[in-house]
Amino acid sequence: MSGLSQIFHLQEISYSIPSAMWQLHHCDHHSLVVVISGHGELICDHETIHLTEEKCVLIPPNQKINVHNETGALCFYHLTFKIIQLQEGQTGCFSMFTQFQELGCHPFSQCTNLLEIIYRHRLAMDELSLFEQHVRFQEFMLFIMNQNVPNQQQKSVRQSVEQSIKYLQKHYERDWTVEQLAELAAVPRWNYSRIFKDITGQIPLNFLNNVRLEKAKQLLVTTNDRIFEISQTVGFNNEYYFNRRFKEHVGISPGQYRRGQSNNLRIFAPFLEDFLVALGITPIAQFSHSKWGKQDYLGLQEIPDIDIENGQMDQLFHYKPTLIMLDEGIERWKACHQLDQLAPTYHLSHPGEDWRTTLFQIADLTGRTTIMKDVINQYEVKVQKAKKVLQKSVYGQSVAFLRISAIGISLYAGPECGYTGPILYRDLGLMPHESVWNIPHYTRKTHLTIDQLIHLDADHIFITFDKQHSIFEGEERVILKSPTWSNLPAAKNNCVYEVDFLTWMNYGILSHNKKIDDVLRVLG
């Protein structure tokens, strides 16, 4: 009996938002690029693959790769991995990994779910967590190989079921039976149900009901239609059955859901309050930090605050939240790990740099999609106006951003990563100092030694002070009194600009607007 011939070892996973032209590093590992949104081109040794949403591209080792971001909205996961041979003389499925090619990755929702989980746990350190991450990656590779290993009969049957699922999602309001769906896919009923569940994790009619209920949620928020009318629109002929299934799915009745979305939003979203305020929502409480303070720029002075660092979560019970929203950065705060026991909790797993997705998801949950579109349009207009001003006023002059604390100085990265780079260098088109380009890809910031600081000859430096590690008042500012700092060209020319810490250390759209205001105030 022959054994397993190979396994896969994940080297790195990142979420990339590339600049107009971007180059993937040469490496002796295989790579996968899975496109989440946007359009572009991926060029490998004069061969081009057009990148669109839901595409997966395999890149063999030691290839020169260039990515062209055509729309400015291209986002993708980039994975590098090793293939480990377990038995000599057996290649298993190795042959499929030798060519630069597109791979099937449908249903794409299953693909992104697997990648989100892997990405969320990418920083795992202990033995058990690392093993769990290894198992997750094998599951993802099994998902990929099931669709791409040469087995034409299996592939065609699975693709037929996938096509029927896509058709069902578009025509969910029709009366469907499993027999009709199997006939649509030209697959025997018994095999259709098995493959359907393998793809979606659900039996066909449960999947259909969930699609209908998600659409009903949108209609409850965005229309004034009666509940009976909505139930018929999404495909439920019986209002009583619709109400029962809705309550099972959501936890409350359709009427309660509608009232809650429109009149009684009681949301706690630590570090995400910026997005709520941008959408016209006032949170029931806001985060605070003993050293950082609160996000004063949001104007939430009358809203009670909860100290995240010291774990003052008990008082949150008194505010009775109906929804809690958390991003991936919340993992560092132990006090927030049990919040899902207090109220329904929604986790945002994508990187903070992808703030548009954050805004969209929060708007979708709260019925504020129209407001969201206006907010984004206003931001885009502001960016274009600011960019024109800055192109004239600081053309050819370099910029850097520093976060200064009692334990050191951090230089923030370029257009792809961090709180500041995507705004300063990508949106506003400012020129990064050469030291910014030395920061490794996918790294948000790097520590500067004194020797490195001496060579920071940027024309303009923005700084903010982190008090978290200060033992005495003002310890984080001691560096400003040193000869090293005084001799920096920007310091000599009065081109160092202090900005508010929580305003700039934030991914929210209002904070980004404030960053633009601050830049124009000193450079415009």
Side-chain angles (χ1 to χ4, degrees):
M1 179 178 177
S2 61
L4 186 65
S5 61
Q6 63 190 30
I7 60 173
F8 305 93
H9 180 66
L10 178 65
Q11 299 295 110
E12 184 180 17
I13 179 172
S14 60
Y15 187 97
S16 298
I17 308 171
S19 54
M21 286 299 297
W22 190 66
Q23 188 174 90
L24 292 176
H25 286 297
H26 296 265
C27 70
D28 57 356
H29 307 314
H30 290 79
S31 295
L32 283 172
V33 169
V34 182
V35 182
I36 303 302
S37 64
H39 300 274
E41 291 182 339
L42 198 157
I43 305 167
C44 175
D45 287 342
H46 308 296
E47 185 176 353
T48 300
I49 290 181
H50 294 283
L51 299 179
T52 58
E53 184 174 344
E54 303 189 10
K55 273 200 178 181
C56 176
V57 180
L58 172 68
I59 305 166
N62 303 313
Q63 300 293 315
K64 182 179 180 181
I65 300 296
N66 289 294
V67 177
H68 179 210
N69 187 348
E70 294 179 348
T71 63
L74 181 65
C75 303
F76 56 79
Y77 283 102
H78 179 218
L79 302 91
T80 58
F81 62 97
K82 286 183 179 179
I83 300 176
I84 300 175
Q85 296 299 119
L86 300 179
Q87 297 188 39
E88 293 184 6
Q90 294 192 32
T91 59
C93 303
F94 185 83
S95 58
M96 71 170 281
F97 295 101
T98 60
Q99 295 181 343
F100 175 59
Q101 61 177 313
E102 292 183 35
L103 298 178
C105 59
H106 296 286
F108 194 66
S109 58
Q110 185 177 349
C111 176
T112 54
N113 284 341
L114 290 168
L115 288 175
E116 284 176 3
I117 294 172
I118 293 171
Y119 184 84
R120 192 185 309 158
H121 295 88
R122 69 193 183 282
L123 302 179
M125 298 296 291
D126 64 276
E127 190 78 5
L128 182 58
S129 297
L130 288 170
F131 181 70
E132 288 178 344
Q133 186 74 331
H134 174 74
V135 172
R136 291 185 192 103
F137 186 61
Q138 304 311 302
E139 182 182 3
F140 173 73
M141 294 305 292
L142 177 62
F143 169 79
I144 293 294
M145 287 193 297
N146 272 336
Q147 299 173 69
N148 297 282
V149 172
N151 182 336
Q152 195 57 42
Q153 182 178 1
Q154 178 184 1
K155 185 176 181 181
S156 62
V157 170
R158 188 179 182 89
Q159 285 183 335
S160 295
V161 177
E162 289 171 351
Q163 289 173 358
S164 73
I165 292 171
K166 291 181 179 179
Y167 189 83
L168 180 64
Q169 290 173 316
K170 291 181 180 179
H171 303 283
Y172 55 84
E173 76 286 352
R174 298 181 182 177
D175 289 329
W176 288 104
T177 64
V178 179
E179 288 78 8
Q180 290 171 328
L181 291 170
E183 183 179 350
L184 178 67
V187 176
R189 184 188 188 282
W190 65 270
N191 200 24
Y192 180 86
S193 295
R194 180 184 64 80
I195 298 173
F196 192 105
K197 187 172 183 180
D198 181 53
I199 294 172
T200 67
Q202 303 175 61
I203 62 175
L205 294 184
N206 281 352
F207 178 86
L208 173 60
N209 278 333
N210 289 339
V211 171
R212 289 170 170 172
L213 292 169
E214 287 300 314
K215 182 62 179 178
K217 286 166 63 177
Q218 296 178 21
L219 295 175
L220 285 165
V221 171
T222 58
T223 74
N224 294 318
D225 293 351
R226 293 179 299 172
I227 292 175
F228 170 71
E229 294 170 334
I230 290 175
S231 69
Q232 287 193 321
T233 299
V234 299
F236 289 99
N237 294 324
N238 185 301
E239 184 181 358
Y240 171 78
Y241 180 67
F242 167 69
N243 286 333
R244 182 163 64 84
R245 292 306 300 263
F246 190 95
K247 190 167 185 179
E248 290 173 355
H249 183 71
V250 181
I252 54 178
S253 70
Q256 290 173 320
Y257 180 83
R258 170 176 270 172
R259 290 191 295 273
Q261 294 292 298
S262 58
N263 300 321
N264 191 32
L265 290 168
R266 300 186 60 79
I267 301 176
F268 179 60
F271 300 96
L272 296 170
E273 292 92 346
D274 186 302
F275 298 95
L276 297 181
V277 174
L279 295 170
I281 301 168
T282 301
I284 60 166
Q286 60 179 316
F287 96 88
S288 67
H289 186 282
S290 59
K291 294 292 184 70
W292 295 343
K294 298 181 292 186
Q295 297 166 112
D296 292 330
Y297 74 96
L298 293 177
L300 298 174
Q301 284 77 11
E302 304 302 319
I303 303 301
D305 61 279
I306 294 177
D307 190 330
I308 297 293
E309 184 183 33
N310 295 323
Q312 298 176 358
M313 289 298 155
D314 291 344
Q315 65 193 92
L316 189 59
F317 286 88
H318 301 295
Y319 304 137
K320 299 178 181 178
T322 57
L323 179 63
I324 294 172
M325 297 181 185
L326 304 173
D327 67 1
E328 63 170 7
I330 209 68
E331 294 175 3
R332 66 182 291 196
W333 309 104
K334 294 181 180 179
C336 296
H337 290 181
Q338 305 300 321
L339 284 178
D340 55 357
Q341 299 176 9
L342 178 60
T345 303
Y346 187 85
H347 292 269
L348 299 113
S349 58
H350 54 275
E353 286 87 349
D354 188 13
W355 60 265
R356 287 174 176 80
T357 297
T358 301
L359 190 64
F360 173 81
Q361 291 182 341
I362 294 176
D364 185 52
L365 281 171
T366 57
R368 300 295 204 276
T369 51
T370 301
I371 297 176
M372 173 208 68
K373 293 175 183 177
D374 291 339
V375 169
I376 291 179
N377 286 338
Q378 290 168 12
Y379 176 80
E380 299 294 351
V381 170
K382 184 171 187 172
V383 163
Q384 293 306 315
K385 290 182 178 178
K387 196 170 185 177
K388 290 180 180 178
V389 171
L390 295 169
Q391 284 174 344
K392 296 178 181 178
S393 63
V394 290
Y395 178 79
Q397 299 177 32
S398 61
V399 174
F401 179 85
L402 303 178
R403 176 173 174 167
I404 304 174
S405 75
I407 62 173
I409 299 175
S410 295
L411 171 69
Y412 271 74
E416 291 83 21
C417 289
Y419 299 111
T420 59
I423 309 305
L424 293 177
Y425 310 127
R426 186 180 64 198
D427 290 358
L428 296 181
L430 296 174
M431 185 175 75
H433 183 261
E434 61 182 14
S435 58
V436 174
W437 294 120
N438 294 330
I439 298 176
H441 276 293
Y442 321 123
T443 303
R444 287 170 170 165
K445 60 182 179 179
T446 189
H447 176 74
L448 285 187
T449 66
I450 292 298
D451 288 340
Q452 291 170 326
L453 180 62
I454 290 173
H455 295 98
L456 185 65
D457 57 353
D459 296 301
H460 303 276
I461 300 177
F462 289 87
I463 61 173
T464 195
F465 292 98
D466 181 355
K467 300 179 181 180
Q468 185 174 12
H469 305 289
S470 298
I471 297 175
F472 57 86
E473 184 68 28
E475 184 181 6
E476 70 280 357
R477 294 177 176 268
V478 170
I479 185 67
L480 300 187
K481 300 177 182 178
S482 70
T484 300
W485 184 268
S486 301
N487 287 325
L488 294 179
K492 289 181 178 179
N493 297 324
N494 292 319
C495 292
V496 176
Y497 319 107
E498 181 180 347
V499 293
D500 178 64
F501 179 76
L502 284 178
T503 303
W504 279 63
M505 298 292 97
N506 200 308
Y507 290 116
I509 186 170
L510 297 182
S511 79
H512 293 340
N513 273 283
K514 291 285 187 180
K515 293 181 182 75
I516 294 173
D517 291 340
D518 288 343
V519 171
L520 288 175
R521 176 171 47 83
V522 295
L523 300 183

